């Protein structure tokens, strides 16, 4: 039997206004090569200057994962030649990164947790982009010099599922502390996956394969699964040593397989050396004090919700996993509704109506509106069933909750006078059954409730109906 061993390297694009070593804007969708200057174009004589915001955000991250923060860290040059890097080297932190030895907890559905250690997080500069158009290739350097935080885990994950839980928690953390928008489609949260297998019980690490640039959780999961299968097959066929070599592979989404891209460079190939153009990065006392005051983290928020609202741990996990959902929930509560109802409508009813990967943030029904719908159930204006119709309607139409209730004619009748009139009719039309009920056939009560509800076209408040019937039948 085999054990799967996974370590992840995640590149998070930090959401600073300007680049890592120059004052060019980091915003994109600009004309190609317009957000550039002598520094990020690596023109001779231009010197880099560290953006202090980047350092501050790195310290915030280190605090969030309970890591050692190196108050003095250094930059190094990693040499490689590729058209999207005009300097032919990348400035990174090899020997002394700003953040070391942290960890985070992943949460399983059964409520158990596992600690994943994070070896380091270091600051580095992003490259530009090569754009291939038919026979022509172009280089756009707008992204060159954008600040990245590379977060390197220990090889602590034992399945594709654990890898995805780790990535989701990491994604959640960087969004909570607002150091990155972490948009996977736009490439501001990119992941390289290192995978190996070993016989169960074996302590040593076997040859790892690195799978690069997979841009969705679903594809990462799939890439790991097919790569593990390839390695196990090779082992069982007795060709592990020939087939499984340390290399970089690509995941082919169409063929659902990984393919060799290039042999793995050894550190020596990069000719690392200390960056001579930059001073050491020093976290001042003032910066340290400020950056270590981070906002509430997902795990803390989860614990608080469990305690404050007596919520199930699992519900709290669902609500706190993404910052948007947590904010949506808190905004719903501002309508003065119960947390229990808010949870149900936010985690069951709303997702059932969100199509095509739409998140709560893009949902046409905002938190205040959904909160108001729930409020109208709680104040007996509408039934729970009617509320679902109201929500359906508001997913398609721009209207207030109360207008939607009017338009759909869903207002509950709680006015006892109106209900009494209906009940009187029902009882008069069913004199025989009334007699049977009074002589002890209690079960008939349900029949009268049903008839009354039907006669009111479902608009009568069931509780009021019950009370009126009890009184009239006694
Ligand atoms: P590099 O920078 O050359 O990619 P690192 O030593 O920084 O190498 O490791 C990169 C990642 O690979 C880390 O996340 C680490 O946990 C993971 N890793 C190392 N060895 C293994 C292995 N045998 N199996 C799976 N992952 C591994
Ligand atoms: Mg690597
Ligand atoms: Zn620049």
């Amino acid at each position: 039997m085999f054990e799967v061993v996974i370590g992840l390297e995640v590149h998070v694009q930090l959401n600073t206004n300007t680049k890592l070593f120059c004052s060019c804007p980091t915003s994109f969708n600009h004309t190609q090569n317009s957000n550039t200057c002598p520094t990020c174009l690596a023109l001779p004589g231009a010197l880099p200057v560290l953006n202090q915001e980047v350092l501050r955000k790195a310290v915030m991250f280190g605090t969030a994962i309970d890591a050692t923060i190196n108050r003095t860290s250094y930059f190094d040059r990693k040499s490689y030649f590729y058209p999207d890097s005009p300097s032919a080297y990348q400035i990174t932190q090899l020997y002394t990164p700003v953040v070391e030895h942290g960890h985070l907890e992943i949460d399983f559905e059964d409520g158990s947790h596992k600690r994943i250690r994070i070896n380091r997080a270091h600051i580095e500069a992003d490259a530009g982009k090569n754009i291939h158009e038919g026979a022509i290739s172009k280089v756009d350097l707008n992204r060159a010099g954008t600040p990245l935080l590379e977060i390197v885990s220990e090889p602590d994950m034992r399945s594709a599922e654990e890898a995805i839980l780790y990535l989701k928690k990491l994604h959640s953390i960087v969004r909570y502390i607002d150091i990155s928008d972490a948009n996977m489609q736009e490439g501001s949260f990119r992941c390289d996956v290192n995978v190996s297998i070993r016989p169960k019980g074996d302590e040593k690490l076997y040859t790892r394969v690195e799978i690069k640039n997979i841009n969705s959780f679903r594809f990462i999961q799939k890439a790991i699964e097919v790569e593990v299968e390839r390695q196990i097959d090779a082992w069982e066929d007795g060709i592990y040593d020939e087939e499984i070599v340390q290399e970089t592979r690509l995941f082919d989404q169409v063929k659902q397989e990984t393919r060799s891209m290039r042999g793995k460079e050894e550190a020596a190939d990069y000719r690392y050396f200390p960056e001579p153009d930059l001073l050491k990065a020093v976290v001042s006392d003032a910066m340290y004090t400020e950056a270590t005051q981070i906002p509430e983290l997902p795990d803390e928020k989860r614990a608080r919700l469990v305690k404050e609202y007596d919520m199930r741990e699992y519900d709290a996990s669902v609500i706190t996993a993404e910052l948007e959902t947590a904010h949506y929930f808190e905004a719903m509560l501002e309508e003065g509704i119960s947390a229990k109802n808010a949870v149900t409508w936010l985690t069951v009813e709303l997702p059932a109506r969100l199509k095509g990967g739409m998140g709560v943030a893009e949902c046409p029904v905002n938190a205040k509106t959904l909160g108001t719908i729930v409020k109208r159930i709680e104040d007996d204006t509408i039934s729970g069933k009617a509320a679902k119709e109201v929500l359906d309607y508001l997913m398609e139409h721009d209207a207030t909750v109360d207008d939607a209730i009017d338009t759909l004619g869903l207002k509950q009748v709680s006015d006892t006078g109106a209900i009494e009139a209906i009940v009187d009719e029902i009882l008069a039309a069913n004199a025989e059954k009334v007699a049977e009920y009074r002589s002890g056939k209690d079960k008939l009560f349900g029949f009268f409730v049903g008839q009354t509800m039907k006669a009111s076209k479902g608009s009568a408040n069931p509780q009021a109906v019950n009370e009126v019937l009890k009184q009239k039948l006694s």
Side-chain angles (χ1 to χ4, degrees), residues 274-419:
E275 167 59 51
D277 283 346
L278 276 164
L279 299 173
K280 56 193 178 183
V282 177
V283 179
S284 68
D285 287 347
M287 181 190 284
Y288 186 82
T289 307
E290 196 206 324
T292 50
Q293 307 286 321
I294 54 170
E296 188 178 44
L297 293 167
D299 290 357
E300 292 167 352
K301 201 188 262 302
R302 183 186 61 214
R304 182 168 63 77
L305 293 187
V306 167
K307 195 155 155 254
E308 248 172 61
Y309 302 112
D310 197 24
M311 201 182 278
R312 284 197 308 157
E313 170 113 4
Y314 180 72
D315 288 337
S317 300
V318 173
I319 284 170
T320 54
E322 286 295 338
L323 190 59
E324 287 84 358
T325 314
H327 283 164
Y328 196 105
F329 174 73
E330 284 168 341
M332 279 181 82
L333 291 189
E334 279 169 26
E335 297 308 304
I337 59 176
S338 83
K340 190 162 180 289
N341 286 336
V343 169
T344 308
W345 284 79
L346 175 53
T347 64
V348 182
E349 295 300 335
L350 192 65
R353 291 164 175 81
L354 295 174
K355 294 188 191 79
M358 183 194 275
V360 293
E362 302 94 55
C363 173
V365 173
N366 65 25
K368 189 173 163 51
T369 304
L370 189 60
T372 309
I373 294 176
V374 176
K375 197 176 170 68
R376 290 293 170 261
I377 305 173
E378 292 185 355
D379 67 13
D380 287 332
T381 307
I382 51 174
S383 65
K385 188 158 160 282
K388 293 181 190 179
E389 283 179 53
V390 174
L391 179 54
D392 287 335
Y393 180 85
L394 291 174
M395 290 296 289
E396 308 290 337
H397 301 84
D398 187 18
T400 67
V401 174
D402 292 331
D403 286 348
I405 292 171
D406 283 344
T407 308
L408 298 169
L410 292 171
K411 207 178 210 129
Q412 266 189 149
V413 179
S414 302
D415 160 27
T416 20
I419 293 172

Side-chain angles (χ1 to χ4, degrees), residues 19 22-24 35-41:
K19 292 185 180 179
C22 62
S23 53
C24 291
N35 287 349
T36 55
C37 73
T39 302
C40 55
L41 291 174

Side-chain angles (χ1 to χ4, degrees), residues 77-292:
R77 270 189 198 184
K78 178 181 185 180
S79 310
Y80 69 91
F81 188 73
Y82 206 61
D84 60 12
S85 170
S87 53
Y89 58 80
Q90 179 188 32
I91 302 183
T92 180
Q93 299 191 299
L94 177 69
Y95 302 108
T96 313
V98 57
V99 169
E100 284 182 291
H101 314 308
H103 57 87
L104 57 73
E105 301 281 321
I106 58 173
D107 319 309
F108 297 100
E109 230 174 276
D110 67 1
S112 62
H113 307 280
K114 176 178 170 179
R115 174 174 287 200
I116 306 293
R117 293 166 304 151
I118 292 174
N119 173 278
R120 51 154 57 211
H122 59 259
I123 296 166
E124 62 185 30
D126 206 350
K129 271 183 189 157
N130 296 327
I131 302 158
H132 306 289
E133 289 172 3
I136 301 171
S137 288
K138 300 172 175 175
V139 180
D140 177 11
L141 295 172
N142 278 353
R143 203 184 62 185
T146 297
L148 299 177
L149 193 64
E150 176 172 350
I151 302 158
V152 183
S153 84
E154 294 290 349
D156 283 354
M157 285 144 280
R158 295 288 170 269
S159 65
E161 186 209 357
E162 289 188 14
I164 301 300
L165 289 175
Y166 169 83
L167 287 171
K168 288 192 169 164
K169 181 54 76 66
L170 194 60
H171 188 265
S172 180
I173 290 172
V174 301
R175 299 268 299 116
Y176 266 69
I177 61 175
D178 192 24
I179 61 168
S180 172
D181 63 25
N183 185 320
M184 290 186 90
Q185 272 77 50
E186 287 170 4
S188 42
F189 189 92
R190 314 196 282 265
C191 175
D192 300 339
V193 185
N194 296 272
V195 186
S196 65
I197 57 165
R198 65 185 174 195
K200 253 212 165 84
D202 214 335
E203 288 291 313
K204 82 170 212 229
L205 292 170
Y206 282 71
T207 305
R208 79 180 142 111
V209 160
E210 180 168 350
I211 315 170
K212 273 227 182 294
N213 285 328
I214 331 172
N215 67 354
S216 83
F217 291 133
R218 198 158 55 85
F219 288 144
I220 291 168
Q221 167 123 18
K222 195 73 209 171
I224 294 172
E225 285 164 6
V226 301
E227 176 58 24
V228 165
E229 201 177 288
R230 188 181 75 91
Q231 295 186 17
I232 292 179
D233 284 350
W235 190 298
E236 287 174 343
D237 294 346
I239 49 172
Y240 179 84
D241 289 338
E242 300 93 273
E243 284 290 310
I244 308 305
V245 293
Q246 187 168 330
E247 63 178 352
T248 303
R249 295 176 74 87
L250 279 183
F251 176 58
D252 184 328
Q253 294 162 11
V254 179
K255 292 194 183 146
Q256 301 270 296
E257 63 181 26
T258 64
R259 233 190 353 257
S260 182
M261 182 168 119
R262 56 166 193 251
K264 176 72 197 174
E265 295 84 352
E266 293 296 324
D269 298 331
Y270 291 125
R271 290 173 293 123
Y272 279 105
F273 66 91
E275 167 59 51
D277 283 346
L278 276 164
L279 299 173
K280 56 193 178 183
V282 177
V283 179
S284 68
D285 287 347
M287 181 190 284
Y288 186 82
T289 307
E290 196 206 324
T292 50

